[in-house]
Structures are given as C-alpha cells and as structure tokens.
Amino acid sequence: MAPATPTRREILLVVVLYFSLRLLTHKSDTSVSNPLTTSTHATSSPSANDSTYHHISHYLDAHLTWGSSPVPQTRVLSHAPGWTVFDKLYVLKGVVYIVSDEPSKVPNVTHMYSKGLFIENGKEAVASRLPTDEDIRVISTKEAKVLFGTGAHLLDGVNYFINDPYQFVTHYYHWSAELWFGLWHTYASLDLKIPDDGKTSLPPVRRIMFNHLDAYHWRDYASMNEWVIRSGFPSLVMEFKDDWRDRAEMGRPFVFDRVILADRSASMLTFNFARFQRSASASFGMPGSAHWWMTMRNNVIQFTGLDISVGSGTTNTPVITYISRQEWGRRMLIKEDHEKLVEELYKLRDRYGFEVNVVAAEKMSRLEQIELAARTTIMMGVHGNGLTSLIWMKPTPRSTVMEFFFPGGFAFDYEYTTRALGMIHYGFWGNEYFTSPGLPQPKYVEGFQGNSIPLDGALVARLCLERLSLTGEVDD
C-alpha cells in the first residue's frame, strides 16, 4: 500500500520546524565569542571594563585613516629636553614628523631629537649632533596631507623610542638608572597619583625601538639589562635599527599611537645635566608622584619572588650591605681600611643585632643581587657599578647609601640616583663625609680609579648607627 501524500498542513509544520531549528542553532553559535572578530550578533555587548575585548579590537586596528579630513595633529603631552611624550608622532622614510598647525607651541626640535651620534666633547661635536630636516620636521596638516595621503600605518599602544647610539646603553648603571629611570619618570608624569604599591592607571609599554642600535649591543657585561627589561615589562617587544631601516625603505608613513621619545644628546642642553651630568635629571623638570619609581621597582622585585613590601618599615631588623670591590682590581680601598670597615660592621651586628652582608657583586647571581638590594636598609661601597642596585631598595626614613671616594674626587652618579628616590646619600673622603646640599663639584682626581682609597671604618659604622637610630646624636 503506497504511503499517503502529506497534507498542506503537515508540510507547513515541517517547514516551520526546520527554520526554527536553524534559528536556534545560529543563536547558539553566535553566543560563543570569536577571539578574531568583533561580531555585532553576540548575545551581549562587551562592557567598557572588558580589557580582553579592547585589546583584541585594538590589535586589529592596524591603520589610521583620515580620508578627506585633516591629518590628526601631533600632541605633546609632557616634555623636558631629551624626554617627550607624544600622541600621533609620524615617521616616513626614517624622518620624524610633528604635525601641527600651531608650530610656535611645539618645543624646539633640538630639545627633543638629535642625529643620534656618539657623545663627544667640544663645540664642534655638539653642533654635529644637532638635527636637520633630514632627521625631524614640524609640518602643517596641509603639508602632511601631501606627504602621507589618506592614512598611516599604526604603531599601536604605548611605545618607547630611543634615539641614542650604544655608547651608554651597554652598561647596567646607564641603562637602568639613566635610560630606564628617565623613560619611566617621563611616562609617569601622566599619572601623578601613583601610590606606594606602584599601581598605576597607565597602560603597559608595548614596544621599545632603537633606531641606532642593533640587537647585539644593548646587553651589559653583568647581564643585568635584560633582567630589568624582562621583569619590568614582560610582554615588551624590542625593535632595532634593522627594523627601523625596514620601515624607512617601505616608503609608507607610520604613526605612533603614543610614544615616549628619549634623546641623550638633547637632554645635555639642560641646566640639570650641566649640574649633575645625568641625562635622567632633565626629566625631573616634569611633575611626578613621590612613589613614581615603585611601579618599576615592584615589578622587578615580584619577578624575583619577593613581596613588594620587603625592606619596608623602621622597626624590623636593619640590613647593612657592603658591596666590596677588593677583588675587582680597580677602584679599591686600602687593604687595612677595608678590613677595619668589615670589623666595625661586624661589631654593629654583634652588639645591636643588625644583619650585615659583605659581598662581591661579581660573585652573585643577578637574582641574588636584586633580592639582597630589595632587603637592604643601608648600602655602601666604593664608587662603582655594584651600587646601581640601590634602585631596588625600598625608600624609608632609614634608607641610606654610603659611597667611598678617593679624597677630592666626586661623581653624581649614585648620589643623584639615591636622592631622586627620596633616600639619603653620604659621600666619604677618608675620615670625613658630606651630603646634600653640601656637595663638592664633580672631579676625577688622580687616584680616583686607583686601589689605595682611604676610609675611616669607625666613622662609617658610627654614621650607620646614627641613621638606623634615626637620631642626630649617638652616645659612644
């Protein structure tokens, strides 16, 4: 018997059921977010606080298009000579462009950018580093429209751009306490409320670009530079002069979403540099939170596995760390004075219960150096690279750095760095000491680099007790 022919009502029910199932399946599929799309069919819209959504949508935005509209103008958000924060800074064929219809409001380009040559002394050398139109230009929106056309490729997020040769980069102090110090202080000028825990509203830096430096000339002999950059910004992408050349040879315009530009030569035109010989000192012409450095310090400390509170307070057991150079072969104390210093420090340990560490930085791992510095209350040593780790100390009313010089010699390196962090620095010449504001002029006297630096160890120990007791007078 042949099957009955479906009625019109049965056919209609099947059709309705089919399309109902298709609709339900479609809704189920679109309710699962696709990490590579920003579909408007999703069952719920992403909130303003959905950072994942914003990151994904931001990554896909690879081009800034203005079409027939004016080219977006460059904004200078913060500036001191050698250190500048820009929004919408353009680059075409290796030339940097500031787009502005009010050029009188743009800082002098010589205070922002140079030819990136090695730093040498003399008026001719200074003049040779000054930028020309082949390096940087200020142009109007109309000129920019002719040059760039209807859009530019976007270097998204926050970028560091360093227009320096490798001359001062491949050194722990100059990398961390000058370049990194200045870059972060400049960027942190956009957040004046950074608290003691270092938490900030500033987005992390995505990219660091060196246009005069290759990938083989940024690490230092102590291998500390890479530790600082990998722990400070774990997701940071690094680009070098070959990458800069690639972009230049493409002949297409690029635009930095936001960029912090550093130029050592430009910073040297400031009064602060003339006074302290530290490029980062120029950036302190910009405002900043008293806790500005804690973001970087705490990131690095957490990377070691320590809690960011380590080194805090004035009631816990103080830690005295003497970084000895006695086996380094250059810039060392007189042997007997070194031994007397160690003896006096151990007396403090035995009498007052202070923790005393006598260490040689070259015999410690990078992890050990940073961990010890983070716990240290008083750091001391002959002028040298080992003192750079003072930047990982926790600033407290007791935090102190003591630096030993050959009598008559002085350099601002660690004095300025200590003071910039809100800590106290003392310099020693044998049996006398000095501190800000009563500082000598910088001078590299004969014997500065030698191995016969005198020191009164008893005087150092007395000052340690004074600082740790937070008193201006100590009974014998």
Side-chain angles (χ1 to χ4, degrees):
M1 180 177 176
T5 303
T7 64
R8 291 180 61 186
R9 181 174 180 277
E10 289 172 335
I11 293 173
L12 180 61
L13 286 173
V14 170
V15 170
V16 169
L17 179 61
Y18 171 77
F19 282 104
S20 296
L21 289 173
R22 287 293 304 272
L23 180 61
L24 287 172
T25 303
H26 178 68
K27 286 185 176 181
S28 175
D29 288 344
T30 57
S31 67
V32 180
S33 61
N34 184 337
L36 297 179
T37 64
T38 53
S39 172
T40 58
H41 298 291
T43 56
S44 62
S45 300
S47 70
N49 295 322
D50 188 346
S51 59
T52 302
Y53 170 82
H54 284 292
H55 265 281
I56 293 170
S57 63
H58 195 54
Y59 292 160
L60 293 175
D61 189 10
H63 199 264
L64 177 64
T65 303
W66 49 81
S68 60
S69 300
V71 178
Q73 295 189 56
T74 304
R75 294 176 61 212
V76 178
L77 303 182
S78 196
H79 169 72
W83 309 95
T84 312
V85 185
F86 295 98
D87 276 357
K88 303 299 180 289
L89 183 69
Y90 297 82
V91 181
L92 175 62
K93 298 181 180 178
V95 180
V96 175
Y97 291 91
I98 298 170
V99 177
S100 176
D101 288 332
E102 297 181 286
S104 63
K105 295 184 178 180
V106 177
N108 190 321
V109 293
T110 64
H111 290 172
M112 296 186 287
Y113 205 71
S114 72
K115 287 189 173 296
L117 303 176
F118 264 53
I119 306 296
E120 296 180 355
N121 295 325
K123 291 183 179 180
E124 290 185 3
V126 172
S128 71
R129 297 196 298 269
L130 295 177
T132 67
D133 283 351
E134 295 179 353
D135 307 298
I136 185 169
R137 302 178 197 172
V138 180
I139 60 174
S140 68
T141 53
K142 289 183 178 179
E143 292 172 303
K145 194 66 171 289
V146 174
L147 277 173
F148 305 151
T150 59
H153 297 281
L154 185 66
L155 296 173
D156 64 343
V158 182
N159 303 268
Y160 279 167
F161 175 22
I162 294 89
N163 185 45
D164 291 342
Y166 68 82
Q167 184 179 9
F168 291 97
V169 170
T170 57
H171 190 281
Y172 178 30
Y173 174 80
H174 294 295
W175 173 275
S176 297
E178 282 202 289
L179 181 60
W180 218 241
F181 232 49
L183 284 168
W184 182 252
H185 189 270
T186 302
Y187 187 24
S189 69
L190 303 184
D191 182 2
L192 304 182
K193 297 182 179 180
I194 296 177
D196 182 61
D197 63 7
K199 301 298 183 184
T200 178
S201 60
L202 298 172
V205 178
R206 289 204 57 213
R207 185 182 295 104
I208 184 169
M209 301 179 70
F210 297 91
N211 59 340
H212 297 290
L213 194 70
D214 64 44
Y216 300 98
H217 288 91
W218 67 274
R219 294 176 172 85
D220 64 309
Y221 69 84
S223 298
M224 295 298 287
N225 288 1
E226 52 264 46
W227 187 280
V228 173
I229 196 170
R230 306 302 184 200
S231 57
F233 292 116
S235 300
L236 195 71
V237 174
M238 301 182 74
E239 291 194 14
F240 299 94
K241 66 179 183 181
D242 288 337
D243 304 291
W244 180 263
R245 188 183 301 114
D246 287 345
R247 295 183 188 278
E249 291 176 352
M250 289 176 182
R252 304 297 300 156
F254 290 85
V255 57
F256 286 105
D257 202 358
R258 173 165 292 176
V259 61
I260 296 88
L261 170 62
D263 190 297
R264 185 182 185 89
S265 183
S267 75
M268 295 174 68
L269 301 176
T270 64
F271 171 77
N272 266 6
F273 187 91
R275 184 181 180 190
F276 302 117
Q277 288 89 52
R278 305 273 60 84
S279 62
S281 66
S283 73
F284 283 80
M286 291 177 274
S289 162
H291 308 294
W292 68 276
W293 181 245
M294 289 302 96
T295 310
M296 288 296 97
R297 185 261 182 189
N298 291 348
N299 280 358
V300 173
I301 297 310
Q302 285 182 312
F303 196 73
T304 70
L306 294 176
D307 190 271
I308 62 174
S309 65
V310 66
S312 300
T314 57
T315 58
N316 53 320
T317 300
V319 178
I320 300 174
T321 298
Y322 166 33
I323 300 176
S324 170
R325 294 178 59 93
Q326 293 305 109
E327 297 181 40
W328 188 247
R330 187 169 72 101
R331 232 181 291 135
M332 303 189 300
L333 294 178
I334 295 171
K335 182 176 183 294
E336 293 75 16
D337 289 359
H338 160 74
E339 293 171 350
K340 178 65 173 176
L341 173 62
V342 173
E343 177 186 336
E344 293 292 335
L345 293 177
Y346 285 157
K347 285 181 182 178
L348 292 178
R349 177 196 62 187
D350 297 340
R351 182 174 180 181
Y352 298 99
F354 302 157
E355 179 183 335
V356 173
N357 302 285
V358 180
V359 300
E362 65 271 19
K363 294 185 177 180
M364 303 173 70
S365 69
R366 294 170 294 175
L367 177 64
E368 290 169 337
Q369 291 183 56
I370 295 173
E371 284 180 333
L372 181 56
R375 298 194 304 108
T376 293
T377 316
I378 296 180
M379 181 179 289
M380 65 179 66
V382 173
H383 174 82
N385 198 30
L387 291 177
T388 302
S389 288
L390 71 88
I391 63 178
W392 313 125
M393 293 171 63
K394 180 78 170 181
T396 73
R398 300 189 300 183
S399 300
T400 308
V401 175
M402 299 182 180
E403 187 175 4
F404 313 141
F405 299 96
F406 191 87
F410 178 67
F412 271 110
D413 303 42
Y414 306 102
E415 191 282 331
Y416 185 84
T417 306
T418 302
R419 192 153 39 88
L421 293 174
M423 303 189 295
I424 300 297
H425 176 281
Y426 292 94
F428 283 80
W429 287 345
N431 60 0
E432 58 180 304
Y433 65 86
F434 48 85
T435 190
S436 180
L439 299 172
Q441 292 297 309
K443 194 173 184 180
Y444 293 90
V445 298
E446 186 177 352
F448 187 95
Q449 308 286 6
N451 300 331
S452 299
I453 299 173
L455 183 69
D456 185 340
L459 178 63
V460 174
R462 179 182 175 86
L463 188 57
C464 283
L465 184 57
E466 185 176 312
R467 288 292 301 144
L468 295 176
S469 303
L470 295 178
T471 179
E473 191 173 307
V474 179
D475 293 330
D476 290 326

